[in-house]
Amino acid sequence: MVCLGNICRSPIAEGILKSKLPEKTFEVDSAGTEGFHIGRSPDPRSIEIAAQNGINISKQTARKFIREDFKRFDRVYVMDRSNLKNIKQIAITEEEVNKVALLLENKEVPDPYYGNDNEFKKMFDLIDNACERISKKLLNSKS
Ligand code: 4NP
């Protein structure tokens, strides 16, 4: 799960998808395309909206996406088109490029950083719906 800073959107996406998949079978992680907040905890507003929905993301720490992530992960979900462009620039092989997709298929998860609590709530719901669809698909393909 990738966004710009790895403190607002992608930590929530990591927490939600992890909560919907068996830990032993699926590795879920998140990263940012930029390193502004490396080592920091998620934004308090993201921690709060996740907690209200029973998901603890407070122990996560921000990191930057690296090329090796293409080896470690089968899929790379990005939140917006700017993330898509930045991550595709890091990809070298066609296989790597093909691993990258917008989390919401044809839509973006808007950056809530300068928004209010309502923006964080809307973001949570968008990501939750997408993770529900993805987890169902993944669980079906394993059975
Ligand atoms: P995120 O949100 O990409 O969802 O983590 C942002 C976090 C920080 C900044 C921008 C967006 N920033 O400009 O520092």
Side-chain angles (χ1 to χ4, degrees):
M1 296 299 191
V2 175
C3 61
L4 175 65
N6 192 210
I7 55 164
C8 296
R9 293 165 290 177
S10 58
I12 288 205
E14 175 188 334
I16 293 178
L17 191 60
K18 260 188 188 153
S19 77
K20 294 180 191 288
L21 291 172
E23 200 181 334
K24 285 194 181 140
T25 328
F26 294 94
E27 186 185 6
V28 182
D29 197 9
S30 64
T33 59
E34 289 299 335
F36 315 131
H37 303 282
I38 289 175
R40 301 224 183 108
S41 303
D43 187 289
R45 296 164 296 177
S46 284
I47 293 178
E48 174 63 22
I49 189 71
Q52 281 172 18
N53 288 275
I55 294 170
N56 181 2
I57 63 165
S58 66
K59 305 262 159 34
Q60 293 185 27
T61 50
R63 72 176 182 93
K64 192 172 172 182
F65 185 90
I66 51 171
R67 213 183 141 244
E68 282 67 40
D69 287 318
F70 281 119
K71 296 202 180 76
R72 212 172 123 202
F73 298 98
D74 298 320
R75 285 154 208 220
V76 180
Y77 291 107
V78 298
M79 302 297 136
D80 62 34
R81 291 195 169 84
S82 160
N83 307 149
L84 191 66
K85 184 169 157 245
N86 289 328
I87 292 296
K88 282 193 172 172
Q89 271 169 358
I90 301 170
I92 293 178
T93 66
E94 205 181 323
E95 192 194 354
E96 288 172 353
V97 172
N98 290 338
K99 288 183 178 186
V100 192
L102 279 173
L103 179 68
L104 301 184
E105 298 185 315
N106 289 312
K107 272 199 318 186
E108 301 183 299
V109 181
D111 180 351
Y113 190 59
Y114 295 104
N116 56 27
D117 288 351
N118 197 37
E119 253 86 57
F120 277 77
K121 163 129 192 36
K122 274 195 258 171
M123 171 202 37
F124 185 95
D125 293 342
L126 282 173
I127 295 176
D128 191 40
N129 282 337
C131 289
E132 185 63 24
R133 169 178 51 77
I134 290 166
S135 66
K136 282 211 173 106
K137 224 155 112 183
L138 287 172
L139 291 170
N140 281 338
S141 71
K142 289 263 170 194
S143 60

